[in-house]
Amino acid sequence: MRKISVIGVGYVGLVTAACFSDLGNTVTAVDVDEKRIAGLKRGEMPIYEPGLEELVKRNVEAGRLTFTTSYKKALKDCEFVFICVGTPSGVDGEADLKYVESAAKSIAKNMQAALIVINKSTVPVGTGDWVAEIISAAQPKPIDFWVVSCPEFLREGAAISDFMSPHRTVLGSLHREAADKVAQLHLPLRAPIVITDLRTAEMIKYASNAFLATKISFINEIADICESLGADVKEVAAGMGFDPRIGKHFLEAGLGYGGSCFPKDVKALAFMAQEMGHEPRILNSVMTVNGLRRQHDRR
Ligand SMILES: NC(=O)c1ccc[n+]([C@@H]2O[C@H](COP(=O)([O-])OP(=O)(O)OC[C@H]3O[C@@H](n4cnc5c(N)ncnc54)[C@H](O)[C@@H]3O)[C@@H](O)[C@H]2O)c1
């Protein structure tokens, strides 16, 4: 069994730490939020997620899961470190990477032996290369490390079952051996594993969320047209959903997409496209339709 550190004990980090420890690994989870760590040491969950409290309790009691604010303790004898810090929207819609930067610097300063650094935060394409540069520049003395992207696809409210039974695991790295080692960690999840390069893995996460948001905006636009033409959008969606090429998920007309990921991820992808001189026509329309839908529902 492996020794793993997880950085950031929010939704993704706490679930990752609890699930990997339940699979038999030894996991130390580190956060800069002292209150959060003190609460976890007392068995208090910072978030509500079905089954999480029991999972954490079981693995803490078994000695497989510990919490700390010390990177030094967390990285001692550690082979794998997962970055799971937040990447909120910046002022122009770009992903704000200040927490990722700070986590990368702290890893660099506290790592004591060769390490695989796995990024689970949703980050713009190219961030893996940037994290590698930050770590190299901030290390007091050179120690080998390899960066792997492993985007997370869990949904809040179903986080543990999504983590334990994913539809796929995506891994991206320029170092095949490092990606293979991370793949080994995920084998007990028995899901297909896609191994690709860093940038492609980072893009798979954004493209997946943007596609689901597009489906939601699409059915909402159809709902508006249905309303004008006297058709029932619920039945339209049900009728469409039987076609496996379309699928029934994310085809429910309503308020539009929201939550902690879709709005920021669609914006961040559109920002990345614009930065590279592409006009993200579909993404812009998806965001416009989503905004109008909310106004429509307030009428
Ligand atoms: N929440 C979801 O449903 C979900 C799903 C898939 C992917 N993601 C992505 O995963 C990432 C994390 O999301 P989340 O919802 O878990 O965030 P969160 O805000 O719930 O948790 C982030 C945690 O990181 C900690 N942190 C910040 N800087 C730190 C540092 N330098 N060192 C140690 N800890 C630090 C914070 O104190 C906090 O506890 C984001 O990029 C998000 O887009 C989230």
Side-chain angles (χ1 to χ4, degrees), residues 9 22 39 72 78 84 95 125 135 151 204 206 241 247 253 261 264 279:
V9 288
D22 208 49
K72 195 163 190 176
C78 169
C84 303
V125 176
I135 296 179
I204 288 172
Y206 277 106
C261 290
K264 82 174 173 67
E279 194 189 334

Side-chain angles (χ1 to χ4, degrees), residues 11-31:
Y11 257 99
V12 169
L14 188 52
V15 169
T16 299
C19 290
F20 272 129
S21 60
D22 208 49
L23 293 172
N25 302 288
T26 305
V27 182
T28 308
V30 58
D31 203 292

Side-chain angles (χ1 to χ4, degrees), residues 20 24 70 96 119 139 154 168 174 194 196 206 210 216 221-222 235 266 295:
F20 272 129
S70 161
D96 183 343
N119 186 37
Q139 282 181 327
L154 61 76
R168 79 298 208 190
L174 301 175
V194 177
T196 180
Y206 277 106
I216 294 169
E221 183 160 301
I222 295 294
E235 289 184 22
V266 178
Q295 287 168 20

Side-chain angles (χ1 to χ4, degrees), residues 18-243:
C19 290
F20 272 129
S21 60
D22 208 49
L23 293 172
N25 302 288
T26 305
V27 182
T28 308
V30 58
D31 203 292
V32 287
D33 185 335
E34 289 177 7
K35 272 195 189 152
R36 207 163 250 225
I37 292 297
L40 280 162
K41 284 182 175 171
R42 291 191 298 268
E44 294 161 14
M45 297 301 108
I47 52 168
Y48 177 71
E49 195 58 48
L52 183 62
E53 194 169 341
E54 299 73 31
L55 195 67
V56 168
K57 189 167 184 274
R58 179 162 76 232
N59 287 288
V60 167
E61 283 172 3
R64 287 189 296 263
L65 177 59
T66 47
F67 299 101
T68 181
T69 51
S70 161
Y71 269 85
K72 195 163 190 176
K73 271 192 201 152
L75 294 179
K76 191 169 182 303
D77 304 325
C78 169
E79 281 176 85
F80 301 92
V81 58
F82 283 86
I83 299 179
C84 303
V85 299
T87 49
S89 271
V91 276
D92 294 320
E94 79 284 9
D96 183 343
L97 293 177
K98 63 174 181 272
Y99 302 120
V100 174
E101 181 176 12
S102 149
K105 284 185 179 159
S106 301
I107 291 171
K109 288 180 191 148
N110 292 285
M111 62 190 283
Q112 296 136 50
L115 191 58
I116 299 182
V117 179
I118 306 144
N119 186 37
K120 256 199 180 300
S121 297
T122 303
V123 291
V125 176
T127 302
D129 301 325
W130 179 70
V131 162
E133 284 167 23
I134 292 173
I135 296 179
S136 295
Q139 282 181 327
K141 59 173 186 209
I143 303 175
D144 284 342
F145 71 92
W146 303 272
V147 176
V148 176
S149 164
C150 175
E152 182 52 61
F153 298 95
L154 61 76
R155 294 162 300 165
E156 290 178 12
I160 290 165
S161 55
D162 282 354
F163 189 97
M164 288 301 208
S165 311
H167 296 295
R168 79 298 208 190
T169 299
V170 173
L171 300 175
S173 186
L174 301 175
H175 306 278
R176 180 64 198 226
E177 211 180 307
D180 284 344
K181 285 187 180 165
V182 182
Q184 291 281 334
L185 274 185
H186 289 82
L187 285 183
L189 304 180
R190 298 177 179 276
I193 297 180
V194 177
I195 298 188
T196 180
D197 62 84
L198 259 180
R199 286 170 181 248
T200 305
E202 290 165 345
M203 186 51 136
I204 288 172
K205 172 65 190 178
Y206 277 106
S208 300
N209 273 6
F211 185 77
L212 296 175
T214 303
K215 256 185 120 176
I216 294 169
S217 278
F218 177 84
I219 199 65
N220 280 333
E221 183 160 301
I222 295 294
D224 290 343
I225 303 171
C226 282
E227 204 174 304
S228 305
L229 295 176
D232 180 343
V233 71
K234 280 203 178 124
E235 289 184 22
V236 170
M240 290 169 67
F242 283 111
D243 185 331

